[in-house]
Amino acid sequence: MLWFKCHEIIPGFILALIYVALSLSGVFLYMEYESIEDVDTHCRIAYTAERNTAAFRQRNYSAFVVGFSGEVGRHLLEVLNRAKIFGKITLIGRRIIKLNNLGPEFEQRRVKFDLLDDYADIFEGIDYGFCTLGTSHGSVQSAEFNRVDHDYVLKTAELAKAGGCKHFSVVSSHGADGNSSFFFNRAKGLMEETLMQYNFERLSIYRPGVLLCNRQEHRPGDTIFQSLLRPVAYFFPTAVTLPVETAAIAMLNNVVVPNNRSVDIYENKAIHVVAGMASQYCPPELVPLRHYGNSFHRKDHDSEF
Ligand SMILES: NC(=O)c1ccc[n+]([C@@H]2O[C@H](COP(=O)([O-])OP(=O)(O)OC[C@H]3O[C@@H](n4cnc5c(N)ncnc54)[C@H](OP(=O)(O)O)[C@@H]3O)[C@@H](O)[C@H]2O)c1
Ligand SMILES: *[C@@H]1O[C@H](CO)[C@@H](O)[C@H](O)[C@H]1NC(C)=O
Ligand SMILES: *[C@@H]1O[C@H](CO)[C@@H](O)[C@H](O)[C@H]1NC(C)=O
Ligand SMILES: *[C@@H]1O[C@H](CO)[C@@H](O)[C@H](O)[C@H]1NC(C)=O
């Protein structure tokens, strides 16, 4: 799998060649129509999310988001701000950022991730945890990648668990595998394996392919990259790409719907289904009435890709 930071598009030309070759070979076509394991379970989450929302909201749970300043993180905040399912949301990051139009339930806390143990009290009593922390491998040494995507994530999870977190949701990656010879896949895989040993009541692991961002500001590199991915995402929307907002909606749908399984792993296409954006894979009785599954989704984002 190709790895980028969402807005970092330097090896554009090489990528272009790779992408053309891949699309010509029909790999995307195969991936697009490849079947999903457990599709009914995923469809049911999207189908029942909206009707579970009111009951969930009444419980007045609290949540934290680590990595909230990132691409997935910021979209998660938007979705949470619209859905209003938590009474309190603590945003934990290495810096305070300016966030507009968020409700009073949001609160930012600045921490030093190397000394996260010192901030254990922040996690005290928080019911739900979302971790969208990560770094890009393109510009990053393996040690730094390990530190953020493995060490910081696990430390966050450890403190969350100690503080009483019931359901921990984490963004991993396609290809995560503790035995992989690629350091990023290995780091993500080892992170997942260790997380499973923490015995959360629920643990949800998301494995996106290539994240697509809807950016407000114009960045030249972005345009090249996005114009390469756009046709792929257009013809094969669930094969390798995942709009960051779809990821955020999937995370939200999944927390409001009760689930007996303690560990869920969602691959790229499954994330689309859980978000209610790929009902073509669902049996007719589980296709949400509204085309996009739930009211958290804003239609205007759709035309982007
Ligand atoms: N991009 C892709 O195509 C892709 C593909 C598969 C999986 N993923 C995974 O998806 C997840 C989210 O990706 P994204 O694109 O939303 O990431 P992003 O935009 O790069 O955001 C990363 C988040 O992690 C924080 N962070 C990074 N390095 C840090 C450090 N050294 N110390 C403290 N915080 C740090 C950032 O905080 P600051 O804002 O302070 O920097 C930000 O909140 C990541 O786990 C990534 O590995 C991405
Ligand atoms: C929900 O919890 C928050 C604190 O977590 C509290 O301030 C608020 O009053 C609670 N709301 C209700 C309706 O209980
Ligand atoms: C690596 O693979 C072996 C055999 O398939 C398995 O027993 C082991 O748990 C794996 N290790 C990791 C770190 O995934
Ligand atoms: C979860 O388990 C309970 C009892 O063990 C059962 O009644 C319920 O239907 C199950 N829910 C799902 C979604 O499987």
Side-chain angles (χ1 to χ4, degrees):
M1 186 41 58
L2 296 164
W3 267 69
F4 322 83
K5 189 155 177 161
C6 249
H7 55 268
E8 207 175 81
I9 306 318
I10 319 317
F13 183 64
I14 296 160
L15 283 178
L17 293 180
I18 292 169
Y19 267 96
V20 168
L22 283 180
S23 25
L24 288 179
S25 70
V27 166
F28 292 134
L29 189 68
Y30 171 75
M31 293 174 89
E32 184 63 20
Y33 293 101
E34 200 182 10
S35 66
I36 321 171
E37 240 178 85
D38 258 351
V39 70
D40 284 15
T41 316
H42 301 334
C43 295
R44 190 164 283 111
I45 295 170
Y47 185 65
T48 58
E50 195 158 4
R51 75 181 65 154
N52 275 292
T53 298
F56 188 94
R57 189 180 288 130
Q58 274 206 324
R59 310 293 292 271
N60 198 28
Y61 288 124
S62 53
F64 69 79
V65 184
V66 171
F68 70 91
S69 56
E71 280 302 326
V72 175
R74 277 188 289 133
H75 284 82
L76 184 61
L77 298 195
E78 255 182 58
V79 166
L80 289 172
N81 191 41
R82 262 181 274 151
K84 299 285 179 214
I85 56 167
F86 291 111
K88 186 174 173 217
I89 302 176
T90 308
L91 308 178
I92 301 167
R94 60 173 160 180
R95 60 202 174 98
I96 302 285
I97 62 172
K98 199 169 175 316
L99 293 167
N100 295 321
N101 310 318
L102 289 186
E105 71 274 26
F106 289 89
E107 178 198 32
Q108 289 192 54
R109 298 293 298 268
R110 187 171 163 209
V111 301
K112 293 192 171 79
F113 279 92
D114 282 325
L115 303 170
L116 206 56
D117 281 317
D118 295 352
Y119 301 87
D121 59 306
I122 296 181
F123 296 88
E124 208 52 57
I126 303 191
D127 307 305
Y128 285 77
F130 297 92
C131 180
T132 61
L133 204 64
T135 186
S136 65
H137 96 110
S139 56
V140 148
Q141 301 294 307
S142 59
E144 168 76 352
F145 187 86
N146 259 313
R147 198 165 60 90
V148 179
D149 287 67
H150 180 273
D151 301 355
Y152 289 174
V153 171
L154 289 178
K155 182 50 80 177
T156 299
E158 189 191 312
L159 296 176
K161 174 73 184 172
C165 175
K166 297 188 237 295
H167 185 174
F168 191 75
S169 301
V170 63
V171 182
S172 178
S173 172
H174 175 83
D177 172 5
N179 279 329
S180 172
S181 46
F182 296 107
F183 77 82
F184 38 92
N185 287 347
R186 191 170 57 242
K188 289 286 200 189
L190 292 174
M191 176 272 285
E192 290 184 0
E193 282 174 25
T194 309
L195 270 185
M196 290 178 202
Q197 290 161 15
Y198 289 177
N199 294 318
F200 284 100
E201 226 169 89
R202 282 186 68 188
L203 169 65
S204 299
I205 296 171
Y206 297 86
R207 290 181 175 168
V210 178
L211 293 172
L212 297 177
C213 317
N214 301 313
R215 285 190 181 282
Q216 315 294 314
E217 75 268 46
H218 177 76
R219 296 189 189 176
D222 231 22
T223 316
I224 302 165
F225 181 51
Q226 299 271 330
S227 58
L228 290 172
L229 274 182
R230 226 172 268 265
V232 178
Y234 182 83
F235 290 110
F236 314 106
T238 69
V240 292
T241 53
L242 180 71
V244 285
E245 195 184 41
T246 302
I249 293 170
M251 293 172 99
L252 180 88
N253 283 352
N254 193 26
V255 297
V256 299
V257 178
N259 192 327
N260 285 351
R261 276 189 305 193
S262 58
V263 181
D264 302 313
I265 300 182
Y266 300 101
E267 298 288 347
N268 195 66
K269 197 192 303 269
I271 300 173
H272 283 265
V273 175
V274 170
M277 311 284 187
S279 46
Q280 67 271 28
Y281 298 106
C282 296
E285 71 275 16
L286 291 180
V287 173
L289 290 177
R290 235 171 292 179
H291 182 53
Y292 285 110
N294 65 59
S295 54
F296 307 134
H297 181 61
R298 276 195 320 211
K299 258 205 142 141
D300 49 326
H301 271 273
D302 248 26
S303 49
E304 279 288 318
F305 299 105

